[in-house]
Amino acid sequence: MEPIQFMIDQISEELKIKKEQTKQVIRLLDEGNTIPFIARYRKELTGQLDETTLRNIFEKITYLRNLHQRKEEVIRLIEAQGKLTDELRKEIESASKLQRVEDLYRPYKPKRRTRASIAKEKGLEPFAEVLLEKMDYDQIVELAQKYISKEYELSTVDEVIQGGQDIIAEMISDDPVVREWVRNETFNRGIIRVQAKDSDKESVYEMYYDYQEPIKNIRHHRVLAINRGEKEDYLKVKIQIDEKSIIDGLVNKFSLFSKFRELPRHLTKVVEDSYKRLISPSIEREIRQLLTEKAEDGAIQIFSANLRQLLLQPPIKGKTILGIDPAYRTGCKLAVVNPVGKVEDIRVIYPTPPQNKVEEAKKQVKDLVEKFGIEIIVIGNGTASRETEQFVADFISEHDKDLYYIIVSEAGASVYSASRLAKEEFPDLDVSERSAISIARRIQDPLAELVKIDPKSVGVGQYQHDVSQKKLEASLTQVVESVVNYVGVDINTASISLLQYISGMNKTVAKNIVEYREKNGKFKNREELKEVPRFGAKTYEQAIGFLRIDGENPLDKTSIHPESYAVTYALLDHINLTTRDIGTENLKQKLKELDLEKLSKMLDVGLPTLNDIVASLIRPFRDPRDELPKPIFHKDILKIEDLKQGMHLQGTVRNIVDFGAFIDIGVKEDGLVHISEMSEKYIKHPLDVVSVGDIIDVWVLSTDVQKKRISLTMKKH
């Protein structure tokens, strides 16, 4: 039976939250509720725990349940061998880590044939037990002679003694106390030593050609870089530790040696063999795996944080956008997108080498600007971006238009353009034309466009190909789901790509909604969604609060859940207003004058829910992204050669890695603010100071025109 109370106690202690909160969250999760739904609509039950804490509870209960399952399995396997004692059962049941369970199971785990198992097959187990008694060497030789046997292919005393020693060596290696001690000692005192396989060979890993660092101090990005260099056969990696101190420690740690005042030479030799041949290689693999897992988790965490900020970039509403996918030989593809995302025009211009048809290209752009009232030009940062930017800047300066440009990351645009989704959306366009549309829409509504792309392809991570793809995908999917539900979607305009991330929904349900909408016209109210195939009661409960409809019922365009409509009507009736007053100044003023704590008791509703209802009535179609700073637009161009030491600039955080942040300052090359230049105070990680999309003040530290490197600082000069 699952020890659920023990799990609740442990999670509550680790997360420093009340046991009742943990209990309710686990119950809600077990009932099939999603984390965004619980966070938004079950605040009274959870004590207003945020999404991050809810996900932590989910991860910890999943781990503990898997741990419990493994304990039961290990107990069953040992019991089947007839070797389970009450003491061992208690040790397994009380283990709080999976590693401890595996250590306890190790002596009973079936192994491939080893030197020890071969010795056991030859009947040397009783001899090994005698070797652990207080005997001098002559006594051992005398006893060993009794085991010489043609049947077991034991022809010499040395073979018998070696077999007995092999059995003891494996006993030491399998001892859980020994393994835990060696593992901790190696992690805390060991050094990771990296060398070049061929120091004459050039590579990006040259800084690691002769490198060492304490295991406990090594940063995540170094672990992943070293792993990659090793995989690509440039580096060789070894864990080093003072072997003598470990072997001396083992003599004291292995309980069967406690009877000896001084360990006999033949047993000292066994301890040394056990460590060097069995324990050390195994522990090294375990520690390398542990470092890799922690590094992967760190990289995934950074990627997820960056992705969240990227998806939350504020949309540029009400503007007609010209998107440009730059190129050389094949020309720059242009796409005009109107304020609601509809494509108005597609063209190709050739302002870049080898064609250099600059004047003709300017005429084309001028025609589009005047015809559609374009206000913003968006340029992809791929091949020929620099030359295209120069062309656009020259065009703006010559035509004196109220026109601005911005360069955006093309990451993932080509992936989307070649996808089945893009082909379905624009069947008559080629890949680069679709890419130009995607580039334009990234400014217009970043979330709606970026959800069409595999999250791994959006270009805001580090070492994403070196981490567990399953864990990365799961984490990034959670981020997209969280952001989409945080923002909410208009059911009458949202794409399948966007809808599939709504709480309680999947791609099939999202597709059914779009097909229903295309067949029957716009949804007029939330109730109508119940007619959509596979949109059952549970899906309705989980999803409906995140779906907005500007239709018959004004409440349907808010984030108020239909289960709270009755309370909302009672609230409006209390202040002598109706749903027609939603969003008006009169309603806002009356709501601000209310004593919500008193009213919550009167209406028999939780205060957190009432607060959310009031906020939704004040701002019915609120988009939280609108409150974030808008991206920086440019009129003229800035080159790396224009930068001077100490120059003050504003920039946008494009990417964050362990060692710093890359900043777009309007130059083709992003500048790097190293973590040491982010604050006068010590900071553990760049994410403590900045997020992707932040607009920040920076000063130029230095430039390297040859290597196209820009060093920046956030410390005021």
Side-chain angles (χ1 to χ4, degrees):
M1 187 176 171
E2 184 179 273
I4 189 66
Q5 191 57 52
F6 170 77
M7 295 177 181
I8 289 169
D9 293 349
Q10 190 169 331
I11 293 170
S12 302
E13 176 65 28
E14 284 182 35
L15 297 180
K16 307 299 180 197
I17 57 177
K18 293 176 182 175
K19 292 176 185 179
E20 184 60 27
Q21 289 177 294
T22 306
K23 180 182 175 181
Q24 291 291 359
V25 172
I26 293 171
R27 181 181 65 78
L28 288 165
L29 289 168
D30 287 347
E31 288 173 358
N33 297 289
T34 68
I35 286 173
F37 174 80
I38 296 169
R40 183 68 176 79
Y41 297 111
R42 293 295 179 262
K43 290 179 179 177
E44 282 82 10
L45 290 175
T46 69
Q48 302 190 71
L49 295 178
D50 60 23
E51 267 196 50
T52 302
T53 307
L54 293 174
R55 290 201 188 280
N56 282 338
I57 293 172
F58 172 73
E59 286 169 9
K60 288 182 184 300
I61 192 64
T62 302
Y63 176 84
L64 290 175
R65 281 172 166 165
N66 289 338
L67 176 63
H68 175 68
Q69 194 175 345
R70 181 58 176 159
K71 285 179 186 180
E72 287 188 326
E73 187 180 16
V74 164
I75 287 170
R76 180 181 59 78
L77 291 168
I78 298 173
E79 196 168 31
Q81 296 175 31
K83 297 177 181 177
L84 184 67
T85 63
D86 289 343
E87 186 183 357
L88 180 56
R89 180 192 286 273
K90 284 177 184 175
E91 280 196 88
I92 294 169
E93 287 176 344
S94 64
S96 60
K97 295 280 170 59
L98 187 59
Q99 182 67 68
R100 173 67 176 160
V101 175
E102 297 304 334
D103 281 353
L104 290 166
Y105 178 49
R106 188 181 181 90
Y108 310 96
K109 191 174 184 178
K111 298 180 176 73
R112 59 180 175 79
R113 289 188 86 217
T114 62
R115 280 164 49 173
S117 65
I118 292 168
K120 286 176 183 177
E121 288 168 10
K122 293 180 178 183
L124 293 177
E125 212 161 356
F127 176 72
E129 290 172 9
V130 174
L131 278 181
L132 290 167
E133 299 300 323
K134 291 184 178 179
M135 299 173 65
D136 60 34
Y137 191 69
D138 290 338
Q139 290 175 301
I140 291 170
V141 170
E142 186 181 340
L143 183 63
Q145 288 172 341
K146 296 177 182 178
Y147 284 86
I148 293 173
S149 160
K150 285 184 180 179
E151 182 186 349
Y152 291 116
E153 298 177 354
L154 292 167
S155 54
T156 67
V157 165
D158 287 345
E159 284 177 355
V160 174
I161 294 174
Q162 184 62 60
Q165 289 174 336
D166 288 341
I167 292 170
I168 297 171
E170 190 166 274
M171 283 172 63
I172 297 169
S173 172
D174 285 348
D175 188 275
V177 175
V178 165
R179 294 193 70 80
E180 187 174 9
W181 181 79
V182 174
R183 188 184 296 116
N184 291 337
E185 285 292 294
T186 307
F187 187 87
N188 291 318
R189 292 174 45 217
I191 288 170
I192 192 157
R193 183 87 169 88
V194 188
Q195 291 177 302
K197 276 204 167 182
D198 180 355
S199 56
D200 295 328
K201 218 172 186 180
E202 288 186 9
S203 78
V204 294
Y205 307 106
E206 285 173 20
M207 70 168 288
Y208 297 110
Y209 276 12
D210 187 15
Y211 181 84
Q212 65 179 41
E213 186 172 358
I215 293 169
K216 63 182 180 181
N217 294 342
I218 193 163
R219 300 292 295 272
H220 296 331
H221 67 278
R222 294 198 195 283
V223 172
L224 294 173
I226 288 165
N227 286 356
R228 186 190 287 180
E230 185 180 36
K231 188 177 178 182
E232 293 177 8
D233 216 29
Y234 287 103
L235 305 175
K236 51 185 179 181
V237 186
K238 187 72 184 164
I239 285 178
Q240 292 182 343
I241 191 164
D242 180 0
E243 287 186 345
K244 186 178 182 306
S245 68
I246 294 287
I247 291 165
D248 289 346
L250 283 178
V251 169
N252 298 319
K253 286 289 165 191
F254 195 51
S255 58
L256 291 179
F257 295 152
S258 59
K259 66 187 78 167
F260 296 100
R261 182 171 295 173
E262 185 180 345
L263 204 63
R265 187 174 174 278
H266 71 274
L267 288 180
T268 305
K269 180 185 170 186
V270 172
V271 174
E272 189 174 337
D273 172 59
S274 179
Y275 175 70
K276 289 183 177 179
R277 180 171 59 87
L278 300 173
I279 302 173
S280 178
S282 173
I283 294 296
E284 178 163 349
R285 283 192 300 272
E286 285 181 16
I287 288 178
R288 289 289 306 278
Q289 182 62 31
L290 178 67
L291 289 174
T292 298
E293 285 176 4
K294 286 189 172 181
E296 286 184 354
D297 289 345
I300 290 170
Q301 187 179 359
I302 294 168
F303 200 141
S304 298
N306 288 347
L307 176 64
R308 182 178 182 84
Q309 292 307 124
L310 183 68
L311 294 174
L312 282 171
Q313 290 298 285
I316 305 301
K317 297 174 181 175
K319 305 285 185 185
T320 299
I321 312 278
L322 172 62
I324 304 181
D325 182 13
Y328 289 119
R329 184 181 55 81
T330 55
C332 300
K333 308 302 186 294
L334 310 183
V336 179
V337 179
N338 73 12
V340 294
K342 184 185 174 187
V343 179
E344 298 286 2
D345 206 326
I346 296 281
R347 297 189 189 181
V348 185
I349 57 174
Y350 300 90
T352 57
Q355 308 271 31
N356 291 315
K357 296 179 180 178
V358 177
E359 293 308 314
E360 184 183 316
K362 285 180 181 176
K363 286 178 185 176
Q364 291 265 35
V365 174
K366 183 183 178 186
D367 178 49
L368 291 174
V369 169
E370 292 177 350
K371 184 177 179 180
F372 297 104
I374 292 165
E375 297 172 71
I376 298 169
I377 298 174
V378 185
I379 306 164
N381 69 343
T383 306
S385 172
R386 185 76 180 78
E387 292 81 356
T388 306
E389 182 189 11
Q390 185 68 62
F391 162 76
V392 169
D394 290 346
F395 172 83
I396 291 172
S397 64
E398 288 172 18
H399 291 79
D400 194 30
K401 295 278 183 188
D402 190 16
L403 192 62
Y404 295 86
Y405 78 86
I406 187 170
I407 294 177
V408 299
S409 169
E410 277 185 19
S414 59
V415 175
Y416 160 73
S417 303
S419 69
R420 182 175 56 80
L421 179 64
K423 290 172 187 172
E424 288 173 0
E425 195 173 0
F426 303 108
D428 300 326
L429 301 180
D430 68 25
V431 170
S432 55
E433 289 168 337
R434 294 181 199 133
S435 186
I437 297 167
S438 178
I439 287 166
R441 286 176 169 176
R442 283 186 184 207
I443 282 291
Q444 198 169 49
D445 192 342
L447 178 58
E449 195 59 29
L450 289 169
V451 292
K452 298 175 184 176
I453 299 163
D454 178 354
K456 295 196 292 287
S457 302
V458 297
V460 288
Q462 187 190 23
Y463 298 108
Q464 56 259 46
H465 302 297
D466 299 293
V467 303
S468 162
Q469 295 304 293
K470 187 177 178 181
K471 283 168 75 173
L472 177 62
E473 186 175 351
S475 180
L476 298 186
T477 300
Q478 282 180 1
V479 170
V480 180
E481 178 190 81
S482 173
V483 171
V484 170
N485 287 286
Y486 173 65
V487 173
V489 302
D490 183 341
I491 193 70
N492 285 318
T493 60
S495 65
I496 294 171
S497 304
L498 204 55
L499 288 168
Q500 68 182 337
Y501 288 105
I502 287 292
S503 168
M505 287 174 51
N506 56 32
K507 198 168 186 177
T508 301
V509 176
K511 190 178 180 184
N512 290 346
I513 287 173
V514 172
E515 287 175 353
Y516 184 93
R517 189 175 71 199
E518 289 172 351
K519 183 180 177 182
N520 300 286
K522 288 185 174 182
F523 288 93
K524 296 179 281 298
N525 55 64
R526 281 172 166 171
E527 281 290 310
E528 197 180 342
L529 275 156
K530 292 179 178 178
E531 298 173 21
V532 174
R534 298 190 69 174
F535 203 87
K538 191 65 178 178
T539 303
Y540 183 87
E541 177 196 53
Q542 298 295 303
I544 201 66
F546 305 104
L547 301 172
R548 315 279 191 264
I549 299 175
D550 193 2
E552 296 170 343
N553 186 346
L555 292 183
D556 288 351
K557 67 179 178 181
T558 72
S559 61
I560 300 170
H561 198 284
E563 66 187 12
S564 296
Y565 278 8
V567 171
T568 307
Y569 291 134
L571 167 63
L572 290 169
D573 189 53
H574 179 73
I575 56 176
N576 296 315
L577 294 175
T578 69
T579 53
R580 289 191 299 274
D581 298 299
I582 291 174
T584 64
E585 288 302 319
N586 184 26
L587 177 134
K588 290 177 188 177
Q589 190 57 43
K590 286 197 173 187
L591 290 175
K592 286 176 184 175
E593 293 168 0
L594 290 172
D595 181 342
L596 294 184
E597 196 166 336
K598 185 178 176 183
L599 190 61
S600 73
K601 292 173 184 173
M602 189 186 91
L603 297 175
D604 193 24
V605 62
L607 185 58
T609 296
L610 187 59
N611 279 324
D612 286 345
I613 290 170
V614 168
S616 296
L617 292 174
I618 290 172
R619 300 183 63 189
F621 234 141
R622 174 181 175 262
D623 187 336
R625 298 172 297 170
D626 292 339
E627 293 157 22
L628 300 169
K630 296 289 187 283
I632 300 171
F633 296 102
H634 306 282
K635 270 185 172 288
D636 52 9
I637 198 166
L638 188 66
K639 298 186 286 292
I640 191 170
E641 291 84 0
D642 299 332
L643 302 177
K644 306 294 178 196
Q645 189 175 0
M647 185 182 283
H648 175 217
L649 300 158
Q650 268 204 325
T652 306
V653 180
R654 285 289 178 222
N655 197 8
I656 295 172
V657 291
D658 277 329
F659 53 82
F662 290 97
I663 316 297
D664 173 11
I665 52 171
V667 183
K668 185 184 178 186
E669 297 78 18
D670 286 344
L672 172 66
V673 179
H674 189 268
I675 189 170
S676 60
E677 291 295 333
M678 289 186 154
S679 173
E680 298 290 354
K681 300 174 184 175
Y682 169 76
I683 59 169
K684 285 186 176 180
H685 198 278
L687 282 169
D688 296 339
V689 180
V690 293
S691 300
V692 167
D694 283 357
I695 310 297
I696 60 171
D697 288 294
V698 291
W699 288 263
V700 178
L701 277 180
S702 64
T703 60
D704 187 329
V705 178
Q706 188 89 16
K707 293 183 178 178
K708 300 187 185 303
R709 287 180 183 166
I710 304 164
S711 294
L712 304 171
T713 181
M714 291 168 63
K715 298 175 184 176
K716 193 169 182 179
H717 276 221

